[in-house]
Amino acid sequence: VVLAGLEGREAAACVELRARLLRAVGRYEESVGAFKAAVALNELHMYGEVWADCHAELGGSAREAVALVNFARALWESSGSTRGGVCEKMLLHARHMLEEALGVDHPDVFVHAVLAQGELYGSVMGRWAESFDLFQSAASTLESALGPQHNSAIEANKGRALARERIKNTSTGRSHGSAWASSALFSA
């Protein structure tokens, strides 16, 4: 992933300067938005550097995979759906690395990669049926491995509920995604 233009390192400083100027002239609500954008850009660079360091030192490790997930999350939070396809590739690669390092059914695969992938597919890309399937799989695995009261299992169930609600509220949701999600949601 190449960060340039509005995602370049200098952009965060420029956005922060804009926020300070807006605050100085009393435009507080606008300044808050600009400060949040500056923070998102700084996080993007921080996570990118952490991932690059892990990749150089520990290529293919679980630690590198988690760093890649964090980098993908920072990228979609700073750029929205415009980089969804790139983030999807990053998450799929991170999931593969975690599965190779820990095993396909290891809870950390679901905690780090599958939950992030479900959030990306639903909230960023609008692919709610696929999001539902991922959250369903994560909820099942995490409840079995960690218990239903574990924070990650609760997060998976909240994601599943949100995806179910979004699918019900959109007429196009009924024709997309897996047959399993459609039958699970609409047969009752």
Side-chain angles (χ1 to χ4, degrees):
V1 175
V2 176
L3 302 177
L6 295 177
E7 293 173 337
R9 180 166 299 285
E10 299 80 21
C14 292
V15 172
E16 182 179 349
L17 178 60
R18 180 177 187 271
R20 290 176 186 275
L21 291 170
L22 288 167
R23 185 179 62 191
V25 297
R27 294 168 56 185
Y28 300 112
E29 287 186 34
E30 288 179 80
S31 72
V32 169
F35 277 121
K36 287 180 180 180
V39 168
L41 286 169
N42 282 324
E43 285 180 346
L44 176 63
H45 288 284
M46 178 193 68
Y47 284 122
E49 290 171 4
V50 168
W51 170 73
D53 290 347
C54 288
H55 180 68
E57 295 172 22
L58 310 163
S61 71
R63 187 168 154 213
E64 180 196 359
V66 171
L68 186 58
V69 168
N70 290 334
F71 184 28
R73 183 180 302 278
L75 182 60
W76 90 59
E77 287 176 353
S78 70
S79 64
S81 61
T82 61
R83 300 294 282 275
V86 172
C87 294
E88 179 181 20
K89 289 177 185 174
M90 293 167 73
L91 292 178
L92 290 171
H93 183 64
R95 182 175 179 177
H96 176 73
M97 286 191 300
L98 283 169
E99 289 173 346
E100 289 287 316
L102 305 172
V104 174
D105 291 327
H106 195 281
D108 282 342
V109 172
F110 293 86
V111 168
H112 297 292
V114 177
L115 289 178
Q117 193 178 355
E119 184 180 348
L120 174 72
Y121 282 3
S123 298
V124 177
M125 301 176 84
R127 293 162 46 185
W128 289 105
E130 291 171 86
S131 176
F132 179 87
D133 289 346
L134 289 164
F135 284 125
Q136 176 68 30
S137 174
S140 175
T141 299
L142 293 172
E143 285 177 358
S144 296
L146 305 174
Q149 297 305 315
H150 190 276
N151 287 341
S152 296
I154 292 169
E155 182 182 345
N157 281 312
K158 285 180 181 178
R160 179 178 55 186
L162 175 63
R164 176 183 290 129
E165 188 63 31
R166 294 294 172 99
I167 291 169
K168 285 182 180 180
N169 289 338
T170 59
S171 60
T172 59
R174 294 177 191 250
S175 62
H176 296 302
S178 73
W180 181 89
S182 298
S183 66
L185 290 172
F186 302 112
S187 61

